[in-house]
Amino acid sequence: MAAVEDVIFLGAGASASEGAPVQKDLFCEFFRTDRTNSSHPENIGRLAKFFRDFFGIDVRDPLSDTMFPSFEETLGILEIAMDRGESFRGYSIATGAPDVQTIREDLIFLIALVLNRTLQNPKGHHRELVNRLEREGRMLCTAFISLNYDILIDNALTELHPGIDIDYGVEFTNYHRECNWQIPRRECSVFLLKLHGSLNWLYCPTCISLTLTPREREVARLVEHTIPCAQCGMPMAPIITPPTFLKGMKNYFLNQIMHTSYEVLKNAKRIIFCGYSFPDADLLVRYLLKRLELNYDPRPDILVLNSYEGKRQASKVLEEQRYKRFFRNKDQVRYLDMTFSDFCRNGVG
Ligand SMILES: [Zn+2]
């Protein structure tokens, strides 16, 4: 494997450029479109009740001006309850009603469904990026750190370049089964480190293993709540954590990915943030970058390209401040007025 020179961080803006709804529109998008043509009335019924009970939202109403909570706060509340072994009135197992764990899985199903629909025909920026890197001979000295659950970059890497293997920084049970995914070959693998999990991974909490699901079936498999682990037969669960929720990092595999990200970043010459607004609440990424900044020399150049059509000047200014405020060496931070699609096509030069 060639030494990594560029690390590309993919934030929500990168997926949004391909047609994915931004976080704040996820729920609205679901209840407006997916609710009516879904073949999973049970999940939808539970989610409708959940939004009514927890946030006073009647999803049958016209939704144009409904204020939905963010995905993150919704999932975060449920994760904390599970972590503390606590529950809410009407949501405990004893009452026979859906418990917190079930609602959590329904929410992940919801996200999988929305992303699957909206990203069925992506505009192709991720593919363009992969193509350009290959053309420039930079594919093998580039690593990706994705903060997204979707599999846009995964698909771009596998579809366009069968000669390249994705190294997710963790081991999958698939590697040990015949005619399945192969262990990435060192000499031609590219790191794709997904700090918050991925829609095409399933986690077995019994034998502590991860399984990659074939991409065309990932959503369908998520909906069937009991997919047995190929190793031990016990049920597997999706592995997706909201960015601000630190508990996710207690997970063995996400921890490994965090560690590998650090190892990859420490040799990087450039870190390129794409469509990542660097929110204050995203503490794990901040922690990772601060450790890097203090522990290693020389420090990489930080490039930020977050622009999109119609982005207001005021939010650009605030965003640039957020980046510059955080890093110690301000002059190494270059905030470029460039969109993700520009970067995919032309690079930063
Ligand atoms: Zn298992």
Side-chain angles (χ1 to χ4, degrees):
M1 191 182 298
V4 170
E5 292 179 7
D6 285 350
V7 177
I8 298 177
F9 265 83
L10 296 168
S15 296
S17 81
E18 300 272 24
V22 291
Q23 272 236 7
K24 68 177 178 55
D25 298 335
L26 264 175
F27 293 141
C28 194
E29 183 73 32
F30 176 80
F31 285 111
R32 209 165 36 200
T33 313
D34 299 273
R35 180 179 59 125
T36 46
N37 54 23
S38 171
S39 50
H40 302 282
E42 258 183 45
N43 307 63
I44 309 229
R46 276 196 300 265
L47 284 168
K49 179 179 178 330
F50 168 74
F51 279 103
R52 192 172 59 239
D53 290 348
F54 275 64
F55 301 102
I57 295 170
D58 186 343
V59 298
R60 292 166 308 178
D61 280 351
L63 294 163
S64 53
D65 53 358
T66 304
M67 293 225 303
F68 275 95
S70 70
F71 166 60
E72 211 172 306
E73 64 188 330
T74 312
L75 200 53
I77 285 170
L78 300 177
E79 297 264 8
I80 292 173
M82 279 160 44
D83 193 34
R84 295 168 62 89
E86 295 171 355
S87 195
F88 304 92
R89 181 187 288 186
Y91 284 81
S92 66
I93 304 166
T95 60
D99 61 353
V100 168
Q101 170 78 25
T102 308
I103 298 294
R104 179 191 183 276
E105 284 168 13
D106 286 337
L107 282 169
I108 290 169
F109 147 76
L110 175 158
I111 281 155
L113 218 59
V114 173
L115 291 179
N116 190 54
R117 178 177 55 76
T118 53
L119 295 175
Q120 222 141 48
N121 297 302
K123 293 189 179 131
H125 304 314
H126 289 74
R127 285 185 187 145
E128 221 168 359
L129 171 63
V130 170
N131 263 333
R132 176 175 64 75
L133 292 171
E134 178 76 356
R135 212 170 47 239
E136 293 171 350
R138 299 196 58 78
M139 194 70 249
L140 294 177
C141 60
T142 302
F144 298 90
I145 295 184
S146 176
L147 306 168
N148 301 324
Y149 312 122
D150 63 65
I151 52 171
L152 285 163
I153 187 66
D154 317 44
N155 286 348
L157 285 165
T158 46
E159 279 167 20
L160 292 179
H161 298 286
I164 278 171
D165 293 345
I166 299 177
D167 188 342
Y168 285 107
V170 282
E171 193 166 303
F172 293 94
T173 58
N174 312 57
Y175 293 165
H176 307 294
R177 298 205 296 276
E178 265 180 63
C179 307
N180 217 301
W181 292 67
Q182 293 170 345
I183 297 172
R185 296 159 292 178
R186 271 191 77 77
E187 67 283 4
C188 57
S189 59
V190 174
F191 276 118
L192 169 51
L193 304 163
K194 304 183 88 171
L195 287 176
H196 300 143
S198 183
L199 284 175
N200 61 339
W201 300 351
L202 289 172
Y203 172 64
C204 173
T206 308
C207 67
I208 319 281
S209 66
L210 267 194
T211 297
L212 268 166
T213 64
R215 61 175 175 270
E216 69 274 15
R217 287 190 57 206
E218 86 262 22
V219 175
R221 287 173 67 98
L222 281 169
V223 181
E224 308 154 12
H225 284 150
T226 48
I227 303 164
C229 166
Q231 290 192 153
C232 73
M234 296 303 282
M236 295 192 290
I239 181 161
I240 281 181
T241 57
T244 51
F245 192 54
L246 295 169
K247 181 200 154 214
M249 280 300 131
K250 289 185 193 158
N251 179 281
Y252 173 73
F253 294 104
L254 295 181
N255 239 321
Q256 269 192 325
I257 292 169
M258 178 86 168
H259 179 73
T260 307
S261 301
Y262 182 68
E263 291 299 309
V264 168
L265 279 164
K266 73 186 188 191
N267 297 312
K269 295 199 170 106
R270 298 193 301 180
I271 302 178
I272 304 165
F273 289 96
C274 299
Y276 181 55
S277 64
F278 207 52
D280 288 346
D282 210 344
L283 286 171
L284 270 175
V285 171
R286 279 178 148 65
Y287 176 69
L288 185 67
L289 294 167
K290 193 50 86 186
R291 280 178 57 81
L292 191 76
E293 192 178 36
L294 264 84
N295 295 358
Y296 289 95
D297 254 342
R299 297 180 184 95
D301 285 329
I302 312 274
L303 307 176
V304 184
L305 41 113
N306 271 5
S307 207
Y308 55 84
E309 213 183 290
K311 186 164 182 169
R312 285 177 312 143
Q313 187 58 27
S315 67
K316 290 184 190 176
V317 170
L318 278 175
E319 201 171 75
E320 180 169 6
Q321 281 172 357
R322 261 202 306 281
Y323 273 96
K324 293 226 160 135
R325 184 184 76 197
F326 181 79
F327 289 101
R328 195 170 65 161
N329 301 312
K330 319 286 178 201
D331 50 357
Q332 272 179 289
V333 180
R334 280 167 60 202
Y335 189 84
L336 307 169
D337 199 1
M338 184 182 243
T339 65
F340 178 59
S341 57
D342 286 342
F343 169 67
C344 293
R345 204 170 306 125
N346 306 317
V348 285

